[in-house]
Amino acid sequence: MTPAELRAFCLGFNAAVEEFPFTPETSVFKVLGKVFALSALDADPLKVNLKCEPELAVRLREEHEAIVPGWHMNKRHWNTVTVGALPEALVRELVEDSYDLVVAGLPRAERLRLDRP
């Protein structure tokens, strides 16, 4: 997955936006103001921070060298994923899971606006 493909995938979700609150190099992808992915898209190797269920986060770290506790994030809930070291389908699944977790924490009315009850 290229940086452009990662950006397009993140922005393909309902109400997803890209912001740069930290540095011009760090893309922060949000849904209704809540972060679901962070990445320095020009970094080599390409990495992305993604939210994850705590138990699954630990299991993924044990199974994949390319998944480590979230850099500068709550390590219980966030993983840093090295994109090119994993199958693209897995990366896409992890990004979608992160988005879904964030949406699940939104108030019901906002979830319904997103068509994700």
Side-chain angles (χ1 to χ4, degrees):
M1 175 178 281
T2 67
E5 290 170 335
L6 178 60
R7 170 188 266 143
F9 188 66
C10 288
L11 292 174
F13 294 106
N14 289 346
V17 297
E18 180 181 22
E19 296 179 357
F20 301 89
F22 306 117
T23 68
E25 297 82 26
T26 305
S27 294
V28 177
F29 298 95
K30 296 180 177 184
V31 55
L32 300 180
K34 303 291 184 182
V35 177
F36 71 91
L38 294 93
S39 181
L41 294 173
D42 59 350
D44 186 21
L46 177 61
K47 296 180 180 187
V48 61
N49 281 0
L50 299 169
K51 193 160 191 167
C52 192
E53 296 272 350
E55 299 79 24
L56 178 58
V58 170
R59 193 173 83 236
L60 288 167
R61 294 172 198 160
E62 291 170 351
E63 294 173 0
H64 303 279
E65 273 186 38
I67 301 176
V68 297
W71 179 252
H72 287 292
M73 305 296 284
N74 179 328
K75 290 163 182 22
R76 185 166 187 268
H77 296 278
W78 290 83
N79 280 336
T80 298
V81 175
T82 303
V83 174
L86 295 169
E88 185 173 329
L90 177 58
V91 174
R92 288 178 177 272
E93 180 182 326
L94 295 173
V95 172
E96 185 171 3
D97 287 351
S98 181
Y99 175 87
D100 288 343
L101 270 174
V102 172
V103 168
L106 295 171
R108 185 172 187 273
E110 291 180 350
R111 288 194 315 268
L112 291 174
R113 269 193 7 225
L114 296 171
D115 292 328
R116 288 186 177 257

